[in-house]
Amino acid sequence: MARSGKSKEAPGRAKLWLVRGLKFGLMAAVGGLVAIVIAVVIAMQSLPDYSALKSSPNGQMIRVHAADGSVIVSLGPSFGRWLSYDQIPQVMVDAMISTEDKRFYHHPGVDPIGMARAAWVAIERRGSGRRLQGASTITQQVTRNIFLNNSYSWGRKVREMILALALERKFSKRQILELYLNKVYFGGGAYGIDAASRKFFGHPATTLDLPEAAIIAGLVKAPSSYSPTADAEAAIGRAGVVLDLMQENGVISAAEHANANLAGVKMAPEPPQNSVRYFTDWALPQLDVLVDEPNEPLEVYTTIDLGMQRAATAAIQANVPSGTQGALVSLDRDGAVRAMVGGLDYVTSNYNRATTATRQPGSAWKIFVYMAALEAGYTPDTGVTDEPVTINGWSPRNSSGRFSGDIDIRTAFAYSVNTVAAKLGVEVGFPTVADMARRFGISTPINTHPSMVLGTSDVRLIDMTRAFASIARKGIAVTPYGITKVTTADGRTLYEHQDDTSRVLVAPWVAAGMTDLMQTAVSTGTGRAAQIGRPVAGKTGTTTSNKDGWFLGFSSGITTGVWMGRDDARAVSVLQGGRAPARAFADYMKVAVAKRPVEQFETQVTLPEWQLEPDEEAYYGQPDNGMEGGMMVDENGLPVERARPDQREDEEPDQADGDVPEQPVPPRLDQQWIDRVLGRDRQRQAPPPATPRPSQPNP
C-alpha cells in the first residue's frame, strides 16, 4: 500500500514541476519581451531623424578628371549621388532583396526564420571555427553600417537586433531600403549603388539594367572576392546566382533570366595609376584652399592632358642616362599644367622631382641675368667682350677654356659664355638679378654672391618652367595651376579657375629681347638638340661636374622644363643640358605641339622712347642699383651696406663707436653722367665687324 502511494506521488510531483517550469518560462518570456520592448522604445528615442542618418558620412570621395573629362583617379572611401527610393531602378531593389533578405517586407526587422536556419547551420558546423552566417536582415545591416561595427560578438548581435527593431518602428520599409542601397559597401572604395555603378560601369545607378544590377547585388557578400575589376569571371559567376534567386522569388521570369547577357556587360576601364599620380599628388592638396566642402563627394576637373602625359613619360624614360632620374613639367600659355613627370616610376618612387626637389640650374639661370641687362638698356646686338674677369677674388671660366674677345650679347647667350654673364651681373648688380628671379616666381632662397650668375642657387623645376612661360607670354606673369573646376556629385559648382593677366613682370620689349636670345641658343647655340622643325626658344643648363642637366624652352604656346640627375647629387659624366635633357624636350614637344599651328616669335618690337630720346630731367639723383654710389638691396628688397672698394668681402663696414659714415659727394650732373647712368655708352656701340664663335659651347 505504501509503495502504491509513492508511485501515485511521483507523477503528481513531475506534473507540478512541469507546471512550475512552464510558468517560470512564461514569466521569463514575458519579462524578456517587456525588456525588449523597453529597450526598443529607448533605442527609438535615441535614434536620429532620417535626414541625420542620410548625412552620416562614409568619408569623402574625390574623382579626378583629365582635361578630356575622363576619370584618372578616384580617392576616398565613397562616391555617388544620394538616390531617393523613387530614383532607384526597381530591378536593383528586387536584386538586392532577393539576394540579401527575401522576407524583407514580412519581418519586423529581425527574421526569426532566418535566425533559426542560421542556428541550425551553426550546429552543423560546430567545431569548424566558422562564424554564424545568414541571420542578418537588410535592416540589421543598416544598423551595423551606421551605428555599430563588424566585430563579431553576441553582445554586438543583441544590440544590432534591438536597433533593427527600433529602426523598423520609426521608419518605413522604403526609407530603410533607401538607406541601405545608398550606404552598403560594394568594394573598391565604393559605398552605395551610385558609387558602385559609376566605378564599375561608368554611369549613374539610375540607368542600371538587369545584368548590371545582378553584378552589384552579388558584391555585398564578399566585395573583394567578387569585384569586377579584380576578378571579372568571379563577379559574373556570382551575378548568375543572383539571377537564379530573383527568378526563384518571382521578380523576373525565366525568359528575362535567359536574356540577361552577363558576359556582355561593359566594364569601366581602370584609370592609370603611374606617372599621372605625380600630378594628382601635387594638385589635390590645393583643394583645401579652393573649396570648403569636407563631406560631399567631389568631381575635380584638371588640366592634365593624358596624351601629352604619355609622351612626357616616354620622353623621360627614353632619354635619361643610366642610373639617373628625370623630371618634366609642361605648361600651356596660361599656366595650365598639361604634363608632369616627377620621376621614372611612381610605384617605386613617389618623390616628385618636378615640384619638390631643389637643384642648381646652372646656365639656365642666366635668363635672369640677361633680362636684368635688357631692362637696364642692353639689346641683343650690344657689343661685349669675352675676356678674363675677376670679381672679389672669383674668376669664372668658360668650358672651352678660351676667350672669344669682342662679341655681342646674342652670341654670348647662345653659347652660354660665363665671363660675359659675370660682367653683366656686376653691371646691373647681383641683387637686381635676384630681384628679377623673385619677380618671375623663384621661391627658393637666392644668394647674391658673384657666382650666382652661373646658377648656384637651388631652384625647383616647376618654378623655372614658370619663369620661362612668363617670358613666352610677353612678360605677363604665369602661375601654374592644375584644377580648372570643382563640383559636387550633383553638378553644383564650388570653384572655377579664372585666368589672371593683370601682373606684368617686364615690359614686352624685354621679353621679346629675351626670346630673341633664347631662339638663337636653340638655332645655333648650345640647345640645337631641342629643335623640332618649328620656332623654339630655350636655354640649356649644366652644373659643376655634370651633376644636373636642364633644358627649358617654349614653342607654339607650350613651355616645357626638363631636369635630369641623380637623387644623391653625384656627378654623371655624360649629363649635359644640351644632350639628354634637350633631346627629351624635343621628343616630347614634337607630340605636344603637333596639333597646334606654328607660331613665329615676336622679337622685333619698338623700344621705348626713353631709350631713343632720354629725358635728362627724369634721371636727376642717384640710381637705385648702380655700382657707383647707388643704394644696394638684398634678394628681399631690403637695403644693404656697400663695402668700400678697398674693403675685403668678409670685412665689416668701418662704423665703430657709432661714428656716422661719411656721405658720398653727389656726382656732377653732366652729359657724361647721364650717358653712364643710362648705359648709352654701351648700347650705342656698333656690333663688331666679325663675330667670332667660341669653338666649344658652354652648356
Side-chain angles (χ1 to χ4, degrees):
M1 294 288 291
R3 186 176 300 174
S4 176
K6 287 183 179 179
S7 63
K8 289 180 179 179
E9 258 181 45
R13 187 177 301 165
K15 185 177 180 180
L16 179 63
W17 281 108
L18 178 61
V19 172
R20 288 178 179 176
L22 289 174
K23 289 182 178 179
F24 179 79
L26 182 60
M27 291 175 61
V30 172
L33 182 60
V34 171
I36 290 174
V37 171
I38 293 173
V40 169
V41 171
I42 293 174
M44 285 179 61
Q45 300 301 318
S46 65
L47 286 175
D49 60 26
Y50 193 71
S51 60
L53 292 179
K54 287 174 59 176
S55 64
S56 59
N58 294 318
Q60 189 175 34
M61 180 61 150
I62 299 172
R63 286 207 317 176
V64 185
H65 298 258
D68 62 0
S70 60
V71 177
I72 55 178
V73 67
S74 296
L75 304 173
S78 67
F79 175 82
R81 288 179 54 225
W82 184 276
L83 301 182
S84 67
Y85 183 85
D86 293 332
Q87 293 176 304
I88 299 171
Q90 186 61 43
V91 69
M92 185 71 248
V93 175
D94 293 339
M96 196 63 73
I97 291 176
S98 298
T99 306
E100 293 297 312
D101 188 2
K102 65 181 180 180
R103 285 179 291 275
F104 173 73
Y105 289 112
H106 308 292
H107 61 64
V110 176
D111 184 5
I113 298 175
M115 292 177 63
R117 186 185 68 250
W120 178 255
V121 172
I123 294 172
E124 287 184 330
R125 295 176 179 175
R126 64 185 182 279
S128 64
R130 299 185 63 177
R131 288 172 44 174
L132 179 66
Q133 294 179 340
S136 291
T137 64
I138 283 178
T139 312
Q140 287 175 266
Q141 293 182 51
V142 170
T143 61
R144 184 165 62 245
N145 290 338
I146 297 178
F147 303 109
L148 304 173
N149 54 50
N150 288 322
S151 64
Y152 185 77
S153 67
W154 286 106
R156 192 271 294 166
K157 196 69 178 177
V158 171
R159 291 195 301 274
E160 178 184 297
M161 291 191 298
I162 290 173
L163 285 171
L165 292 169
L167 208 65
E168 290 265 359
R169 304 286 76 72
K170 188 165 184 176
F171 304 112
S172 69
K173 292 284 188 180
R174 289 165 60 100
Q175 288 177 311
I176 293 171
L177 271 175
E178 182 180 317
L179 281 172
Y180 180 72
L181 290 170
N182 281 285
K183 284 185 171 292
V184 69
Y185 182 60
F186 292 100
Y191 285 81
I193 57 172
D194 195 54
S197 180
R198 291 173 186 269
K199 177 175 179 59
F200 300 127
F201 310 127
H203 62 74
T206 52
T207 59
L208 285 170
D209 57 21
L210 176 59
E212 292 171 339
I215 290 175
I216 289 181
L219 296 175
V220 178
K221 180 178 180 180
S224 59
S225 300
Y226 297 124
S227 172
T229 55
D231 191 339
E233 186 176 344
I236 291 174
R238 173 62 180 167
V241 174
V242 174
L243 291 176
D244 292 340
L245 292 171
M246 294 179 72
Q247 183 180 348
E248 180 183 321
N249 292 339
V251 294
I252 63 172
S253 65
E256 289 175 314
H257 185 307
N259 292 330
N261 183 14
L262 295 173
V265 175
K266 186 177 180 181
M267 301 293 180
E270 280 290 282
Q273 295 291 318
N274 199 340
S275 69
V276 75
R277 289 298 302 272
Y278 289 115
F279 169 77
T280 57
D281 287 354
W282 169 76
L284 291 181
Q286 301 168 28
L287 288 173
D288 293 337
V289 177
L290 301 180
V291 299
D292 182 18
E293 177 49 69
N295 296 319
E296 280 199 59
L298 300 180
E299 299 269 16
V300 180
Y301 296 88
T302 70
T303 59
I304 202 75
D305 184 298
L306 294 182
M308 296 169 72
Q309 180 69 21
R310 286 190 293 269
T313 302
I316 291 297
Q317 292 177 344
N319 290 281
V320 68
S322 177
T324 64
Q325 278 285 351
L328 181 150
V329 174
S330 186
L331 307 179
D332 216 322
R333 64 179 81 245
D334 67 341
V337 177
R338 297 303 183 193
M340 178 180 288
V341 179
L344 291 179
D345 183 68
Y346 181 87
V347 175
T348 58
S349 173
N350 60 11
Y351 179 62
N352 195 335
R353 297 157 187 85
T355 61
T356 305
T358 57
R359 304 295 288 256
Q360 291 186 358
S363 292
W365 179 268
K366 290 177 182 175
I367 63 166
F368 305 121
V369 180
Y370 280 81
M371 274 196 293
L374 292 172
E375 195 172 57
Y378 284 78
T379 71
D381 297 316
T382 300
V384 290
T385 303
D386 176 18
E387 60 184 354
V389 60
T390 299
I391 307 169
N392 294 339
W394 173 66
S395 300
R397 62 181 181 84
N398 300 321
S399 63
S400 65
R402 293 186 294 274
F403 304 100
S404 302
D406 292 335
I407 56 177
D408 58 19
I409 288 289
R410 184 179 288 105
T411 302
F413 184 85
Y415 290 96
S416 202
V417 178
N418 289 337
T419 58
V420 172
K423 292 169 73 174
L424 291 176
V426 172
E427 288 288 332
V428 301
F430 303 119
T432 302
V433 176
D435 173 72
M436 183 66 71
R438 287 270 183 247
R439 209 187 304 176
F440 274 77
I442 300 302
S443 57
T444 45
I446 302 173
N447 71 68
T448 53
H449 303 310
S451 61
M452 64 92 73
V453 298
L454 303 186
T456 57
S457 297
D458 290 341
V459 295
R460 297 183 180 91
L461 174 59
I462 193 169
D463 287 348
M464 287 294 291
T465 308
R466 171 187 185 178
F468 277 73
S470 298
I471 297 172
R473 210 179 189 187
K474 302 178 182 179
I476 296 175
V478 169
T479 301
Y481 71 96
I483 298 175
T484 59
K485 185 171 67 171
V486 181
T487 70
T488 58
D490 57 4
R492 180 166 55 91
T493 300
L494 302 178
Y495 165 80
E496 194 158 7
H497 176 79
Q498 300 293 330
D499 188 20
D500 180 11
T501 60
S502 62
R503 291 183 57 233
V504 178
L505 306 178
V506 292
W509 53 268
V510 175
M514 196 67 241
T515 302
D516 184 344
L517 300 182
M518 290 195 291
Q519 186 176 12
T520 306
V522 175
S523 300
T524 62
T526 60
R528 290 189 296 274
Q531 296 175 3
I532 60 173
R534 62 172 68 197
V536 175
K539 183 71 183 77
T540 59
T542 307
T543 60
T544 305
S545 302
N546 294 13
K547 295 177 181 178
D548 303 271
W550 299 70
F551 187 87
L552 303 103
F554 49 85
S555 177
S556 301
I558 295 292
T559 302
T560 300
V562 176
W563 167 88
M564 293 180 184
R566 290 177 59 98
D567 286 336
D568 58 8
R570 291 173 59 185
V572 182
S573 60
V574 297
L575 183 59
Q576 293 181 351
R579 295 184 178 180
R583 290 194 296 267
F585 172 91
D587 289 350
Y588 165 73
M589 288 291 283
K590 288 175 183 176
V591 177
V593 303
K595 297 180 180 179
R596 294 182 174 226
V598 176
E599 297 181 16
Q600 301 295 330
F601 295 128
E602 185 181 355
T603 57
Q604 301 298 323
V605 295
T606 304
L607 296 178
E609 291 185 2
W610 67 263
Q611 284 201 331
L612 304 176
E613 299 293 337
D615 183 354
E616 297 178 4
E617 294 181 0
Y619 295 94
Y620 182 81
Q622 296 180 350
D624 287 341
N625 281 316
M627 290 302 293
E628 297 179 14
M631 179 184 70
M632 297 293 289
V633 297
D634 62 15
E635 62 272 22
N636 297 314
L638 300 175
V640 296
E641 197 69 42
R642 179 181 300 282
R644 302 189 310 270
D646 60 342
Q647 181 180 324
R648 298 194 312 273
E649 191 172 5
D650 58 347
E651 182 181 346
E652 294 293 329
D654 185 12
Q655 298 186 34
D657 300 326
D659 294 339
V660 178
E662 183 179 353
Q663 298 295 323
V665 179
R668 182 177 180 182
L669 302 181
D670 54 16
Q671 186 62 43
Q672 183 178 1
W673 176 87
I674 294 174
D675 288 340
R676 185 174 69 253
V677 171
L678 297 181
R680 291 194 305 180
D681 54 340
R682 297 188 303 271
Q683 71 183 35
R684 299 294 189 188
Q685 292 181 21
T691 303
R693 296 172 62 177
S695 58
Q696 275 188 319
N698 181 20

